[in-house]
Amino acid sequence: MSLDPSTAALQAKNVQLTQEKEQLKLMLSLLQENQDMKAKIQSFSGGPPDDFTGKLEGVSQGSQPRVIGEMVFQLDRRILSHIFQAQTRLYGFTLRNIPEKIEELSTHPLTGKVDMGYRHHLSQRHTHLMSKLSQLGYKAALHPLFSEFIVNTYGILKERPGENSPHGTEYNDPDLLRRLIVTTTPQKMHKDLHVLLTCLCYMAEQDRKLLMLW
């Protein structure tokens, strides 16, 4: 027995709200663990021990969380730039509003006429990329919200490294970023952060560019 459209829509909305509730609970749990970790670090006299923070030469302890946030932010921008290649500015674009932006960009602002060819083109780029990233563990229902949480919690780099700065090389080192994930963030975050880093490495390899694009 098929459901009428209104009932089906309500059920779909209920499923979405349930998923968002579970995601929010996860984010709150991660935030609490992150705060506990910061308190633990601050409790060490003379700074945290080497086996806790790791010996990350060239990256100051104060900037380490921001490097994590920058890594996640860079992946977000990479995904959006891939889908919306014609956009020189991505202000107002987020991973969570990609479908709405596809509809907006493929609809004439004055006449309301839909360019179905362009809409299909953008949708195909989105679908194809998500298919590739999902093979690396990326979950479209979880990781966009998780990414927002990471960027809001840790921030991004206040200053981009200069052309001759050694930080430019360090921040583009996947091994260093993996160590930063382990030494800077709560254990519950490690799996998802490693997924995001793997996705960033994949996209950098595909377009033959550095991990961090300044």
Side-chain angles (χ1 to χ4, degrees):
M1 179 179 178
S2 61
L3 299 174
D4 65 83
S6 60
T7 302
L10 286 173
Q11 288 189 348
K13 186 65 175 179
N14 184 56
V15 170
Q16 179 185 352
L17 290 173
T18 300
Q19 291 176 341
E20 291 179 352
K21 179 181 178 182
E22 292 303 313
Q23 291 170 357
L24 180 59
K25 288 169 62 178
L26 173 61
M27 297 306 155
L28 289 173
S29 173
L30 292 175
L31 181 59
Q32 181 61 53
E33 186 169 344
N34 184 59
Q35 291 174 336
D36 292 343
M37 186 176 187
K38 286 182 178 179
K40 184 176 181 180
I41 292 175
Q42 292 171 354
S43 69
F44 292 112
S45 59
D50 288 342
D51 61 352
F52 187 76
T53 60
K55 296 180 179 179
L56 300 165
E57 297 180 359
V59 182
S60 66
Q61 183 180 335
S63 67
Q64 289 176 14
R66 289 185 176 274
V67 176
I68 297 296
E70 183 71 34
M71 177 195 77
V72 174
F73 175 77
Q74 291 275 339
L75 175 61
D76 285 7
R77 296 293 96 181
R78 206 71 161 248
I79 292 173
L80 292 171
S81 295
H82 176 86
I83 298 169
F84 303 104
Q85 285 184 314
Q87 295 298 118
T88 55
R89 296 184 61 190
L90 293 169
Y91 180 78
F93 287 70
T94 70
L95 298 187
R96 292 202 290 160
N97 70 9
I98 288 175
E100 290 81 0
K101 287 299 181 182
I102 289 176
E103 291 186 6
E104 177 184 321
L105 292 175
S106 58
T107 303
H108 194 284
L110 298 179
T111 65
K113 183 179 180 180
V114 177
D115 185 339
M116 294 305 298
Y118 189 49
R119 178 171 294 185
H120 178 72
H121 169 72
L122 293 177
S123 297
Q124 283 292 96
R125 292 188 68 81
H126 182 210
T127 301
H128 181 263
L129 179 59
M130 289 298 104
S131 176
K132 291 293 184 181
L133 296 185
S134 68
Q135 296 175 23
L136 303 175
Y138 190 90
K139 298 178 181 178
L142 168 65
H143 287 116
L145 183 62
F146 178 75
S147 295
E148 288 183 15
F149 169 79
I150 293 298
V151 173
N152 290 335
T153 300
Y154 292 108
I156 60 176
L157 292 175
K158 293 181 178 180
E159 295 182 0
R160 303 297 193 261
E163 184 176 349
N164 299 318
S165 170
H167 292 314
T169 301
E170 293 159 356
Y171 295 161
N172 282 284
D173 182 352
D175 290 334
L176 182 142
L177 294 174
R178 291 188 185 97
R179 292 169 63 192
L180 274 178
I181 288 173
V182 173
T183 59
T184 307
T185 66
Q187 187 174 2
K188 288 182 180 179
M189 294 183 183
H190 293 175
K191 179 181 178 180
D192 290 303
L193 284 171
H194 281 300
V195 167
L196 298 185
L197 175 56
T198 299
C199 291
L200 181 59
C201 290
Y202 166 79
M203 296 198 71
E205 181 180 357
Q206 291 300 302
D207 59 25
R208 298 180 181 180
K209 295 181 180 179
L210 298 174
L211 294 181
M212 306 286 195
L213 299 179
W214 313 113

